[in-house]
Amino acid sequence: MSLLHIAIISPFLLAILVPIFYKLFKQVHTGWFVLPLPILLFSYFISYISNVSHNRITTESISWIPSLGVDFIAKVDGLGLLFALLITGIGSLVVLYSIYYLGKDKEQLNTFYVYLLLFMGAMLGVVLSENLIVLYMFWEFTSFSSFLLIGYWYHREKSRYGAQKSMIITVFGGLSMLGGIILLYLMTGTFNISEIAAQSSEILNHSLFIPALLCILLGAFTKSAQFPFHIWLPDAMEAPTPVSAYLHSATMVKAGIYLVARLSPVFAESGVWLWLVAGFGIITLFWGSFSAVKQTDLKGILAFSTVSQLGMIMSLLGIGAAALHYPSIDDSFYTVATTAAVFHLINHATFKGSLFMVVGIVDHETGTRDIRRLGGLMSFMPITFTLALIGTFSMAGLPPFNGFLSKEMFFTGMVRVLEMDIFNLETWGLLFPILAWVASVFTFIYSMRLVFKTFTGKYQPEQMKKKPHEAPLGMLIPPIILASLVIIFGLFPNILSHHLIAPVMASILPSLLNDSKEFVVHISFWHGPTIELFMTLGVIAIGVVLYTTFPKWKSMYDLHPEKLTLNRFYDRGLDLVQNGSFKLTKTYMNGFIRTYLVYIFTFFILIIGASLFMKDAFVVKTNNLAPIGLYEVVLALLIVVASITILFAKSRLTSIILLGAVGYIVALFFVLFRAPDLALTQLVIESVSVSLFLLCFYHLPKLKREESRIGFKLTNALISVGVGVVVTLVALSSHSNKLFESISQYYIENTYEKAAGKNMVNVILVDFRGFDTMFEICVLAIAALGIFAMIKLRLTRRKEG
Amino acid sequence: MEILMAIVIGILFMTATYLMLSKSLLRIIIGTGLLSHGAHLLILTMGGLKRGAAPLLGEYAKSYADPLPQALILTAIVISFGVTSFFLVLAYRAYQELGTDNMDQLRGNEGNE
């Protein structure tokens, strides 16, 4: 086990210790014990940067299930390292923030940090796993721990609802991803991503390629809250704010992005990939930003904003794949989209993390998150206001913050879609820049709403639960760090480019790297009066106009009927599935034994009858038959008459006696067919059974009076005739189709020689096949004991009194 | 002979099925009794009928009836007797406790506790 493996599982190990710390050191906030670990891990992963920037990939392997090709292989390359740094870095800040956010006395801190550490370890496992099955394991671990974290305040109904919803949607995607992984394994014979990627050109035309692609993308889209699976993310906002900041802005929702980026070397050659990833991304971008504007809850705005920004990154990853299709054009022409995706990934994590923390502070200090109640907080919370300003301006894509740079590059990528002439992009490609631009206008509007509706305007003290004041320093430090990163990356973007972005690009688009060439990423702050700049200016101009006139066109949102929202579809669907299956079960599980017997007999008739018919199995051969004797015919008539009379017998006593008659006739048959032991047993047992029947039912006086015939039912009659016919047919054809001789000759020859007996049946019962007899004795013993117990043991609840 | 027996067995199965589909618990048990008779006869018939003397070596016959199906049936008779008697006492106790042997009233669904 290498240090890297220990780093990945260390959060799990610490999670074991957290409850112990919690119990032992009640007076210290448990978060302080957790905090060192992510910081340590962050510095550990920092040490990989020099390795990675020289394109050296570290791989460590432990054997787990070698016979199935599942090994825990940890791999640190550019992409994995970037995510590991985000997870541990923002993880440290979130833990620090949560120490101040969650009260020591009010909250169950032990469970919170256990869940959080589980999540952190699972996320590290996802991004650093080379083996897809191990990746899937950690992937489900993130769904699971996120479920626990969303439902942290489990006494609130909305928390439970949100947790369940996110669980259902992400696990649905996760399972489909597992299907995709298995399909990939079927095509390539390996679970290791780099080995699969090495075979990508061979599997491109495999019949399972598209299903695998769809399954994997379904997993990625549900996890990363892409349209129409984004509906779980706004409901996940019921989680404590540190959780929202960590899981639902910086890490977990980017797991889908990670997966898409990670498997780009496998799938990106395909046009379907480009269309789906870019198309769903751009739709999500538009829909998220459009819906964010109408939210009145601060976290709701941020949730939809996260959805939209994730869509933006996703669409950039899709467009970036186009570079693979134009080998002649200079590589950086289309890879700019991939660069923008990676850069925006970092930027989004910084500004969205800080914005969530800011919102948490506002919630914490005023007691509400509703922007209709908030306003005029600028003078009370100047630091928070500044942080919010930085975050939202970066989100809206204004200079000099990092969001501006990534938005410019995003526009560049989208504009370049126009020049593609593959996969029908020449006709539909125009939608990409238009949607991108419109979405950016909406992004601008909700960003402005977020900051100005909260911090400027009228101060309404009577609407707030607490008197607002500035947050404690510890709560402010994490967003301050993130906001300074926003500015630093905005002003000096190239400190990231060589060490982080270029290696990530190398992981996403490895096939473009030949002969030890490196991606040269250079993000320029000022790139001249290009079309992107005018687009940004247009966004600002239109955005300002629309923001100021928002009350006038707000009613536009009412045009979209409540009935047609995706949430409504989800709720209806869930309801339909539950009620539908309940009703379905109720229709066929009605509690009547008769109904179940009808099912059983019907299927017996159908299945056996159908296979007799389909296999042409019904044959009657007459060459092997015994002669018909007079006695047998008489007995046969008698038994038929007796058994049919039972059906029409009015009294139960008659039926019992008729059953006895049938039994005695069977005994007579045994006599005629040369089976003396059987005849003997049958006679005795029939006598005993009939007396038992009589004992049971003759002496129950009430029953005697309730005499009636069986009511005639056509279905019952048809079914029973069917059963009888099928049995007869099976008997006839199986008798006609004897495949080999009986083995009984052996018994006949050896009964005396080997077993010293002359009665063959008895010798078989106790000698050749004695085990049958032993267990038959057991059956009788159990029946006897059972009857005894039933009669003697009366533990029923007697009616009192 | 086997064809005749096959028809007889079919009729036994038919009546047994019809009885098992009825409402009264007693009739269901009678149905199972008929069903086991049918099954025993079926085993015997499938082994071949009237192929010689009873399977006793003292007969000194040229050929004997197949002893194996007879051993199987003997086991089956005893087992079905055990099960039937258990079932009967169960029905008897059920009647004692619940006061009915109508299967429609013996529904164990929710709400009927």
Side-chain angles (χ1 to χ4, degrees):
Chain A
M1 183 168 279
S2 64
L3 199 58
L4 189 55
H5 283 108
I6 295 173
I8 293 174
I9 60 168
S10 59
F12 293 104
L13 300 177
L14 184 62
I16 299 174
L17 298 178
V18 162
I20 301 173
F21 287 134
Y22 178 72
K23 288 268 183 245
L24 284 186
F25 307 100
K26 276 274 181 197
Q27 62 282 17
V28 187
H29 195 288
T30 317
W32 292 113
F33 298 108
V34 177
L35 187 59
L37 181 76
I39 296 176
L40 203 67
L41 288 174
F42 184 70
S43 31
Y44 171 71
F45 284 116
I46 287 273
S47 71
Y48 276 95
I49 284 189
S50 67
N51 258 348
V52 162
S53 61
H54 294 102
N55 272 334
R56 280 200 298 267
I57 294 169
T58 317
T59 314
E60 303 279 357
S61 174
I62 324 179
S63 179
W64 183 24
I65 318 173
S67 58
L68 297 180
V70 179
D71 292 310
F72 186 7
I73 304 170
K75 184 170 101 174
V76 184
D77 62 350
L79 186 61
L81 182 65
L82 169 67
F83 273 91
L85 287 174
L86 282 181
I87 292 160
T88 51
I90 297 187
S92 324
L93 298 176
V94 161
V95 171
L96 179 62
Y97 179 78
S98 70
I99 290 173
Y100 290 92
Y101 187 84
L102 295 172
K104 194 168 60 186
D105 317 311
K106 281 178 278 179
E107 308 285 355
Q108 284 285 317
L109 290 175
N110 50 350
T111 53
F112 180 80
Y113 286 107
V114 166
Y115 301 160
L116 199 70
L117 282 169
L118 281 182
F119 174 77
M120 194 183 288
M123 240 1 251
L124 280 178
V126 166
V127 299
L128 296 176
S129 288
E130 160 76 357
N131 192 296
L132 279 173
I133 292 290
V134 179
L135 187 147
Y136 172 73
M137 179 187 82
F138 284 118
W139 182 279
E140 291 298 14
F141 239 121
T142 63
S143 299
F144 173 65
S145 48
S146 143
F147 167 77
L148 291 172
L149 282 168
I150 296 169
Y152 176 63
W153 287 312
Y154 52 83
H155 45 85
R156 297 186 190 169
E157 209 216 319
K158 282 183 111 179
S159 295
R160 298 196 301 267
Y161 173 77
Q164 188 207 35
K165 192 172 183 178
S166 76
M167 185 77 164
I168 289 175
I169 294 178
T170 54
V171 167
F172 160 72
L175 281 175
S176 115
M177 187 182 116
L178 178 65
I181 291 170
I182 292 168
L183 290 178
L184 278 178
Y185 179 78
L186 289 178
M187 284 186 281
T188 59
T190 174
F191 285 123
N192 292 346
I193 296 170
S194 50
E195 289 168 28
I196 293 174
Q199 303 181 37
S200 65
S201 47
E202 289 131 60
I203 61 175
L204 187 61
N205 291 316
H206 198 286
S207 59
L208 293 177
F209 181 79
I210 296 293
L213 188 156
L214 294 177
C215 285
I216 296 271
L217 275 188
L218 201 56
F221 285 172
T222 49
K223 196 75 159 184
S224 276
Q226 298 293 299
F227 186 87
F229 307 110
H230 66 275
I231 48 171
W232 65 266
L233 189 61
D235 284 300
M237 291 301 130
E238 292 303 320
T241 302
V243 172
S244 310
Y246 189 37
L247 274 69
H248 307 126
S249 73
T251 52
M252 189 180 89
V253 288
K254 293 203 172 110
I257 304 267
Y258 168 81
L259 191 74
V260 167
R262 175 56 89 200
L263 293 176
S264 277
V266 181
F267 292 113
E269 300 265 340
S270 153
V272 182
W273 176 266
L274 193 153
W275 260 115
L276 283 178
V277 175
F280 271 91
I282 201 88
I283 293 170
T284 313
L285 164 67
F286 170 73
W287 188 252
S289 62
F290 176 73
S291 310
V293 176
K294 70 172 167 183
Q295 303 299 315
T296 51
D297 176 43
L298 288 176
K299 277 176 103 176
I301 299 179
L302 287 179
F304 278 106
S305 134
T306 305
V307 169
S308 111
Q309 308 272 326
L310 290 169
M312 169 173 162
I313 299 173
M314 200 63 103
S315 68
L316 284 169
L317 282 175
I319 298 297
L324 296 172
H325 301 279
Y326 290 100
S328 55
I329 303 179
D330 177 29
D331 283 344
S332 61
F333 191 72
Y334 285 114
T335 49
V336 69
T338 313
T339 315
V342 178
F343 189 44
H344 194 69
L345 184 77
I346 303 168
N347 294 344
H348 178 250
T350 52
F351 70 69
K352 194 52 67 65
S354 81
L355 279 179
F356 266 111
M357 291 175 185
V358 163
V359 166
I361 290 171
V362 170
D363 186 15
H364 207 262
E365 304 307 334
T366 63
T368 179
R369 291 195 315 242
D370 194 327
I371 52 172
R372 286 167 300 190
R373 296 175 174 211
L374 292 166
L377 294 176
M378 193 163 66
S379 49
F380 297 98
M381 308 164 88
I383 303 175
T384 318
F385 170 63
T386 316
L387 294 171
L389 204 64
I390 294 169
T392 47
F393 277 33
S394 174
M395 184 156 75
L398 300 177
F401 306 109
N402 56 8
F404 170 68
L405 299 171
S406 43
K407 182 140 292 186
E408 293 287 280
M409 292 165 77
F410 167 62
F411 283 152
T412 312
M414 289 300 145
V415 169
R416 284 184 184 169
V417 173
L418 294 177
E419 293 170 37
M420 292 185 201
D421 49 6
I422 40 166
F423 316 131
N424 277 330
L425 278 173
E426 64 270 27
T427 43
W428 292 94
L430 190 62
L431 275 178
F432 281 87
I434 291 174
L435 276 177
W437 188 79
V438 175
S440 300
V441 173
F442 281 112
T443 306
F444 182 86
I445 299 170
Y446 71 69
S447 303
M448 294 309 115
R449 270 171 66 77
L450 181 71
V451 61
F452 290 119
K453 292 280 172 204
T454 312
F455 291 99
T456 60
K458 206 168 76 196
Y459 171 52
Q460 304 159 292
E462 72 284 355
Q463 294 272 32
M464 296 172 198
K465 288 179 188 148
K466 300 175 188 169
K467 177 135 177 49
H469 56 84
E470 191 57 272
L473 188 63
M475 219 162 170
L476 285 171
I477 286 175
I480 287 174
I481 293 174
L482 287 172
S484 11
L485 285 178
V486 168
I487 299 177
I488 291 169
F489 293 158
L491 295 177
F492 311 103
N494 287 311
I495 53 168
L496 289 171
S497 54
H498 177 65
H499 293 294
L500 268 178
I501 299 179
V504 176
M505 307 263 303
S507 320
I508 300 177
L509 301 164
S511 59
L512 293 181
L513 271 188
N514 30 18
D515 338 319
S516 72
K517 204 169 74 178
E518 280 183 27
F519 281 105
V520 181
V521 176
H522 190 79
I523 302 165
S524 53
F525 191 72
W526 168 252
H527 40 69
T530 53
I531 182 164
E532 298 88 7
L533 190 68
F534 292 115
M535 283 168 86
T536 305
L537 289 177
V539 165
I540 297 172
I542 306 280
V544 168
V545 171
L546 285 178
Y547 171 67
T548 44
T549 56
F550 180 67
K552 291 195 182 116
W553 56 276
K554 201 167 68 177
S555 54
M556 187 188 87
Y557 281 102
D558 302 331
L559 292 178
H560 181 59
E562 189 69 16
K563 266 186 197 164
L564 289 176
T565 54
L566 288 163
N567 270 323
R568 191 59 75 87
F569 277 128
Y570 168 83
D571 289 337
R572 283 269 177 78
L574 211 60
D575 227 36
L576 207 69
V577 169
Q578 275 177 2
N579 287 339
S581 55
F582 178 70
K583 276 184 193 146
L584 183 72
T585 312
K586 232 177 150 144
T587 50
Y588 70 88
M589 298 295 287
N590 59 2
F592 289 113
I593 295 241
R594 196 174 65 242
T595 322
Y596 305 151
L597 283 174
V598 167
Y599 302 149
I600 293 169
F601 286 129
T602 314
F603 278 97
F604 171 82
I605 296 168
L606 287 180
I607 290 167
I608 297 192
S611 37
L612 264 179
F613 176 71
M614 282 177 356
K615 300 273 173 197
D616 288 325
F618 180 62
V619 201
V620 181
K621 287 188 198 145
T622 45
N623 54 357
N624 198 20
L625 297 175
I628 300 180
L630 177 66
Y631 296 124
E632 289 94 337
V633 175
V634 173
L635 282 186
L637 277 178
L638 278 177
I639 201 169
V640 168
V641 169
S643 63
I644 288 181
T645 322
I646 295 182
L647 302 182
F648 300 101
K650 205 172 156 200
S651 102
R652 287 157 207 230
L653 194 59
T654 327
S655 336
I656 292 169
I657 289 174
L658 283 169
L659 178 66
V662 171
Y664 288 128
I665 298 169
V666 170
L668 289 177
F669 265 124
F670 289 152
V671 170
L672 286 180
F673 294 144
R674 320 276 198 278
D677 303 279
L678 290 187
L680 199 65
T681 321
Q682 179 69 28
L683 278 174
V684 173
I685 278 187
E686 202 54 41
S687 316
V688 176
S689 329
V690 169
S691 41
L692 238 159
F693 267 98
L694 294 175
L695 198 78
C696 277
F697 287 90
Y698 187 68
H699 291 288
L700 288 173
K702 214 169 135 198
L703 255 184
K704 265 201 309 184
R705 269 180 267 120
E706 282 180 1
E707 286 174 347
S708 65
R709 284 222 181 92
I710 315 181
F712 179 76
K713 272 207 181 111
L714 188 66
T715 44
N716 290 1
L718 284 179
I719 286 169
S720 38
V721 169
V723 169
V725 168
V726 164
V727 169
T728 307
L729 294 184
V730 168
L732 287 175
S733 44
S734 66
H735 186 260
S736 307
N737 283 324
K738 280 218 171 116
L739 297 177
F740 43 81
E741 275 303 301
S742 164
I743 56 166
S744 296
Q745 203 52 37
Y746 173 84
Y747 296 123
I748 295 171
E749 281 161 13
N750 292 303
T751 303
Y752 192 69
E753 272 83 66
K754 298 209 165 146
K758 290 189 172 173
N759 184 335
M760 292 174 217
V761 175
N762 283 0
V763 168
I764 289 174
L765 281 176
V766 298
D767 220 320
F768 291 121
R769 301 176 57 91
F771 267 113
D772 286 2
T773 313
M774 187 173 91
F775 290 110
E776 164 197 340
I777 293 167
C778 289
V779 169
L780 273 192
I782 292 167
L785 281 174
I787 290 169
F788 181 76
M790 247 190 316
I791 291 174
K792 284 285 169 192
L793 219 63
R794 308 239 163 151
L795 300 174
T796 46
R797 49 217 147 91
R798 291 259 171 238
K799 283 195 187 82
E800 276 142 47
Chain B
M1 189 67 235
E2 278 88 350
I3 295 177
L4 181 69
M5 285 311 288
I7 294 166
V8 169
I9 291 158
I11 289 168
L12 280 177
F13 269 81
M14 180 190 83
T15 47
T17 311
Y18 195 80
L19 284 169
M20 285 163 82
L21 291 173
S22 74
K23 278 183 196 167
S24 141
L25 190 52
L26 176 69
R27 288 208 171 96
I28 290 174
I29 301 173
I30 291 175
T32 59
L34 281 181
L35 197 71
S36 52
H37 288 321
H40 300 155
L41 282 179
L42 185 64
I43 300 174
L44 196 70
T45 311
M46 291 299 102
L49 296 172
K50 302 213 282 190
R51 296 277 143 70
L56 301 166
L57 280 181
E59 299 273 308
Y60 302 110
K62 267 192 220 134
S63 66
Y64 294 99
D66 196 336
L68 196 56
Q70 299 193 9
L72 296 182
I73 296 168
L74 199 58
T75 313
I77 290 175
V78 176
I79 289 175
S80 68
F81 168 69
V83 174
T84 309
S85 50
F86 184 84
F87 193 12
L88 261 175
V89 177
L90 189 67
Y92 168 73
R93 291 281 297 121
Y95 180 81
Q96 267 193 341
E97 291 288 322
L98 305 168
T100 178
D101 81 329
N102 188 334
M103 289 314 292
D104 289 1
Q105 291 167 15
L106 288 172
R107 284 170 69 189
N109 249 359
E110 46 171 323
N112 273 359
E113 284 289 318

